[in-house]
Short mmCIF file of all heavy atoms in Angstrom, two decimals:
data_model
loop_
_atom_site.label_atom_id
_atom_site.label_comp_id
_atom_site.label_asym_id
_atom_site.label_seq_id
_atom_site.Cartn_x
_atom_site.Cartn_y
_atom_site.Cartn_z
N ILE X 72 -8.65 -12.51 -7.86
CA ILE X 72 -8.44 -13.42 -8.99
C ILE X 72 -9.22 -14.80 -8.74
O ILE X 72 -9.96 -15.30 -9.58
CB ILE X 72 -6.98 -13.69 -9.28
CG1 ILE X 72 -6.29 -12.44 -9.93
CG2 ILE X 72 -6.82 -14.91 -10.37
CD1 ILE X 72 -4.85 -12.51 -10.01
N LEU X 73 -9.12 -15.26 -7.55
CA LEU X 73 -9.76 -16.47 -7.10
C LEU X 73 -11.32 -16.21 -7.12
O LEU X 73 -12.05 -17.22 -7.61
CB LEU X 73 -9.32 -16.81 -5.68
CG LEU X 73 -9.97 -18.08 -5.18
CD1 LEU X 73 -9.71 -19.38 -6.00
CD2 LEU X 73 -9.62 -18.33 -3.70
N THR X 74 -11.80 -15.04 -6.83
CA THR X 74 -13.22 -14.81 -6.83
C THR X 74 -13.65 -14.84 -8.32
O THR X 74 -14.74 -15.49 -8.61
CB THR X 74 -13.52 -13.44 -6.29
OG1 THR X 74 -13.14 -13.49 -4.89
CG2 THR X 74 -15.04 -13.06 -6.30
N GLU X 75 -12.83 -14.26 -9.25
CA GLU X 75 -13.27 -14.26 -10.68
C GLU X 75 -13.24 -15.69 -11.23
O GLU X 75 -14.05 -16.11 -12.01
CB GLU X 75 -12.23 -13.44 -11.49
CG GLU X 75 -12.48 -11.98 -11.32
CD GLU X 75 -13.76 -11.51 -11.60
OE1 GLU X 75 -14.30 -11.91 -12.69
OE2 GLU X 75 -14.48 -10.77 -10.76
N LEU X 76 -12.22 -16.55 -10.73
CA LEU X 76 -12.15 -17.98 -11.18
C LEU X 76 -13.39 -18.67 -10.65
O LEU X 76 -13.95 -19.52 -11.41
CB LEU X 76 -11.01 -18.56 -10.63
CG LEU X 76 -9.62 -18.19 -11.37
CD1 LEU X 76 -8.46 -18.78 -10.63
CD2 LEU X 76 -9.69 -18.60 -12.78
N LEU X 77 -13.92 -18.42 -9.47
CA LEU X 77 -15.00 -19.01 -8.88
C LEU X 77 -16.23 -18.68 -9.67
O LEU X 77 -17.21 -19.49 -9.99
CB LEU X 77 -15.29 -18.68 -7.39
CG LEU X 77 -14.22 -19.46 -6.54
CD1 LEU X 77 -14.36 -18.83 -5.00
CD2 LEU X 77 -14.37 -20.87 -6.50
N LYS X 78 -16.32 -17.40 -10.12
CA LYS X 78 -17.47 -16.98 -10.91
C LYS X 78 -17.40 -17.66 -12.20
O LYS X 78 -18.50 -18.15 -12.73
CB LYS X 78 -17.38 -15.50 -11.23
CG LYS X 78 -17.78 -14.49 -9.99
CD LYS X 78 -17.64 -13.12 -10.45
CE LYS X 78 -17.90 -12.11 -9.32
NZ LYS X 78 -17.67 -10.76 -9.68
N LEU X 79 -16.26 -17.82 -12.86
CA LEU X 79 -16.19 -18.55 -14.10
C LEU X 79 -16.52 -20.01 -13.93
O LEU X 79 -17.11 -20.55 -14.82
CB LEU X 79 -14.75 -18.44 -14.72
CG LEU X 79 -14.33 -16.98 -15.18
CD1 LEU X 79 -12.89 -17.02 -15.56
CD2 LEU X 79 -15.30 -16.58 -16.36
N SER X 80 -16.13 -20.53 -12.83
CA SER X 80 -16.46 -22.00 -12.62
C SER X 80 -17.93 -22.13 -12.37
O SER X 80 -18.52 -23.10 -12.91
CB SER X 80 -15.76 -22.36 -11.22
OG SER X 80 -16.16 -23.69 -10.84
N LEU X 81 -18.55 -21.25 -11.70
CA LEU X 81 -20.08 -21.19 -11.63
C LEU X 81 -20.76 -21.04 -13.02
O LEU X 81 -21.71 -21.76 -13.41
CB LEU X 81 -20.62 -20.14 -10.71
CG LEU X 81 -20.43 -20.27 -9.24
CD1 LEU X 81 -20.90 -19.02 -8.48
CD2 LEU X 81 -21.31 -21.44 -8.77
N MET X 82 -20.15 -20.18 -13.91
CA MET X 82 -20.68 -20.06 -15.23
C MET X 82 -20.49 -21.40 -16.00
O MET X 82 -21.42 -21.82 -16.78
CB MET X 82 -20.01 -18.94 -15.97
CG MET X 82 -20.40 -17.56 -15.46
SD MET X 82 -19.27 -16.23 -16.05
CE MET X 82 -19.88 -16.15 -17.71
N LEU X 83 -19.36 -22.01 -15.86
CA LEU X 83 -19.02 -23.25 -16.53
C LEU X 83 -20.01 -24.38 -16.04
O LEU X 83 -20.55 -25.18 -16.89
CB LEU X 83 -17.58 -23.68 -16.20
CG LEU X 83 -17.14 -24.94 -16.87
CD1 LEU X 83 -17.32 -24.90 -18.42
CD2 LEU X 83 -15.73 -25.35 -16.58
N THR X 84 -20.37 -24.41 -14.78
CA THR X 84 -21.38 -25.29 -14.14
C THR X 84 -22.78 -25.06 -14.82
O THR X 84 -23.42 -26.07 -15.18
CB THR X 84 -21.41 -25.21 -12.79
OG1 THR X 84 -20.19 -25.33 -12.17
CG2 THR X 84 -22.44 -26.20 -12.10
N GLU X 85 -23.09 -23.89 -15.04
CA GLU X 85 -24.36 -23.51 -15.66
C GLU X 85 -24.25 -23.86 -17.04
O GLU X 85 -25.34 -24.45 -17.63
CB GLU X 85 -24.56 -21.99 -15.53
CG GLU X 85 -24.92 -21.44 -14.17
CD GLU X 85 -26.24 -22.03 -13.68
OE1 GLU X 85 -27.18 -22.07 -14.48
OE2 GLU X 85 -26.28 -22.32 -12.50
N LEU X 86 -23.19 -23.74 -17.75
CA LEU X 86 -23.11 -24.14 -19.22
C LEU X 86 -23.21 -25.58 -19.24
O LEU X 86 -23.95 -26.23 -20.19
CB LEU X 86 -21.83 -23.68 -19.81
CG LEU X 86 -21.75 -22.25 -20.20
CD1 LEU X 86 -20.36 -21.78 -20.66
CD2 LEU X 86 -22.69 -21.87 -21.28
N LEU X 87 -22.59 -26.37 -18.38
CA LEU X 87 -22.71 -27.76 -18.38
C LEU X 87 -24.13 -28.24 -18.13
O LEU X 87 -24.57 -29.29 -18.74
CB LEU X 87 -21.76 -28.37 -17.29
CG LEU X 87 -20.25 -28.30 -17.66
CD1 LEU X 87 -19.56 -28.84 -16.46
CD2 LEU X 87 -19.94 -29.25 -18.84
N MET X 88 -24.83 -27.60 -17.21
CA MET X 88 -26.22 -27.94 -16.98
C MET X 88 -27.03 -27.68 -18.20
O MET X 88 -27.88 -28.46 -18.65
CB MET X 88 -26.76 -27.13 -15.78
CG MET X 88 -26.17 -27.66 -14.43
SD MET X 88 -26.66 -26.60 -13.03
CE MET X 88 -28.38 -26.56 -13.03
N LEU X 89 -26.80 -26.58 -18.97
CA LEU X 89 -27.55 -26.31 -20.11
C LEU X 89 -27.14 -27.33 -21.16
O LEU X 89 -28.01 -27.80 -21.94
CB LEU X 89 -27.19 -24.98 -20.66
CG LEU X 89 -27.72 -23.81 -19.81
CD1 LEU X 89 -27.19 -22.41 -20.27
CD2 LEU X 89 -29.22 -23.75 -19.98
N SER X 90 -25.89 -27.80 -21.25
CA SER X 90 -25.47 -28.76 -22.15
C SER X 90 -26.31 -30.13 -21.93
O SER X 90 -26.66 -30.75 -22.87
CB SER X 90 -23.92 -29.06 -22.16
OG SER X 90 -23.52 -30.02 -22.86
N LEU X 91 -26.36 -30.50 -20.62
CA LEU X 91 -27.09 -31.60 -20.21
C LEU X 91 -28.46 -31.51 -20.68
O LEU X 91 -29.15 -32.55 -21.22
CB LEU X 91 -27.09 -31.92 -18.78
CG LEU X 91 -25.68 -32.45 -18.26
CD1 LEU X 91 -25.71 -32.57 -16.70
CD2 LEU X 91 -25.46 -33.92 -18.80
#
Side-chain angles (χ1 to χ4, degrees):
I72 291 171
L73 181 60
T74 303
E75 288 301 313
L76 285 173
L77 288 172
K78 284 181 188 176
L79 290 174
S80 176
L81 283 173
M82 289 171 66
L83 182 59
T84 302
E85 289 295 319
L86 285 173
L87 287 172
M88 287 172 57
L89 289 173
S90 175
L91 284 173

